[in-house]
């Protein structure tokens, strides 16, 4: 898994309602540290043990635990305590999102290497990547091969994730699509036909990935 040597953080972060709504500067700084961590990857999903995160943020572990709980409640991150995985929610929707098909292929390669991660966190990461990448691709030149390459890569990857996670993945991908435009939804469904299944048929049928 490739770690980054620099971070791209959208300047609008400081004006975010979610950030401004946090109860303390400690929570805000803990969130920024997640973006700047040496452990952070190009997928915004990485192992970040609390004692390491606490050292980076110059907080006691107990203080950081309170900050992490608040960040989760605010919808800014997800955190798997058992495996110490953090996911930065919305990572692909801002500057960190892949802006060409080769970058998407690199992210897919990184995501394919994950083990022992909570299934819902993984599926939400993949769902966000798919929707954000298709949304960005709508601005790419129509005469080039970029969108064709993207569609082929996503078609294969989403099928693999569906095979591993089943209806859990479909449900979470549909949830991500609910936040996107109808145009993006049409594109995703063309790339990944299983989404044409009725949403009502997805309830309560999640499956866990076997690794």
């Amino acid at each position: 898994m490739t770690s980054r040597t620099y971070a791209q953080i959208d300047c609008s972060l400081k004006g975010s309602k979610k950030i401004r709504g946090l109860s303390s500067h400690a929570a805000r700084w803990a969130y920024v540290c997640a973006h700047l961590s040496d452990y952070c990857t190009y997928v915004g999903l990485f192992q970040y043990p609390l004692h390491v995160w606490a050292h980076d943020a110059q907080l006691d572990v107990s203080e950081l635990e309170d900050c992490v709980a608040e960040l989760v409640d605010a919808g800014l991150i997800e955190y798997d305590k058992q495996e110490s995985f953090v996911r930065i929610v919305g990572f692909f929707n801002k500057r960190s999102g892949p802006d060409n098909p080769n970058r998407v292929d690199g992210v897919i390669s990184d995501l394919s290497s994950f083990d022992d991660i909570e299934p819902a966190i993984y599926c939400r990461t993949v769902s966000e990547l798919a929707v954000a990448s298709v949304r960005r691709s709508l601005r790419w030149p129509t005469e080039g091969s970029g969108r064709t390459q993207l569609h082929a890569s996503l078609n294969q990857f989403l099928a693999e994730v569906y095979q591993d996670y089943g209806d859990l993945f479909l449900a979470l991908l549909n949830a991500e699509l609910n936040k996107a435009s109808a145009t993006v939804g049409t594109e995703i469904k063309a790339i990944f036909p299983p989404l044409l299944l009725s949403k009502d048929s997805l309830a309560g049928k999640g499956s866990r990935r076997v690794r």
Side-chain angles (χ1 to χ4, degrees), residues 146-159:
R147 291 177 68 180
T148 300
Q149 179 182 338
L150 173 69
H151 287 203
S153 298
L154 286 179
N155 175 271
Q156 179 177 343
F157 182 51
L158 298 184

Side-chain angles (χ1 to χ4, degrees), residues 59 61 112 140 169 177 205:
L59 296 170
V61 172
S112 298
W140 298 351
F169 175 54
L177 278 174
K205 295 184 180 180

Side-chain angles (χ1 to χ4, degrees), residues 134 138 177-190:
V134 169
L138 297 177
L177 278 174
N178 286 338
K179 299 179 285 186
S181 69
T183 301
V184 171
T186 299
E187 291 268 329
I188 291 282
K189 289 171 184 176

Side-chain angles (χ1 to χ4, degrees), residues 97-118:
D99 53 9
N100 63 68
N102 292 330
R103 287 276 310 280
V104 174
D105 286 346
V107 170
I108 288 174
S109 177
D110 285 346
L111 283 173
S112 298
S113 67
F114 276 94
D115 289 307
D116 300 322
I117 188 167
E118 203 278 321

Side-chain angles (χ1 to χ4, degrees), residues 82-139:
Q82 183 174 352
E83 300 295 338
S84 300
F85 270 105
V86 60
R87 176 174 90 93
I88 299 175
V89 176
F91 188 81
F92 296 119
N93 294 326
K94 300 285 186 176
R95 293 182 183 273
S96 298
D99 53 9
N100 63 68
N102 292 330
R103 287 276 310 280
V104 174
D105 286 346
V107 170
I108 288 174
S109 177
D110 285 346
L111 283 173
S112 298
S113 67
F114 276 94
D115 289 307
D116 300 322
I117 188 167
E118 203 278 321
I121 291 180
Y122 185 81
C123 288
R124 277 190 281 268
T125 303
V126 173
S127 298
E128 185 183 292
L129 168 67
V131 173
S133 298
V134 169
R135 183 173 58 246
R136 285 171 179 256
S137 76
L138 297 177
R139 302 193 299 266

Side-chain angles (χ1 to χ4, degrees), residues 21-39:
L22 296 173
S23 65
S24 67
H25 288 302
R28 297 183 189 99
W29 177 236
Y31 179 65
V32 172
C33 283
H35 281 272
L36 300 179
S37 170
D38 292 339
Y39 290 78

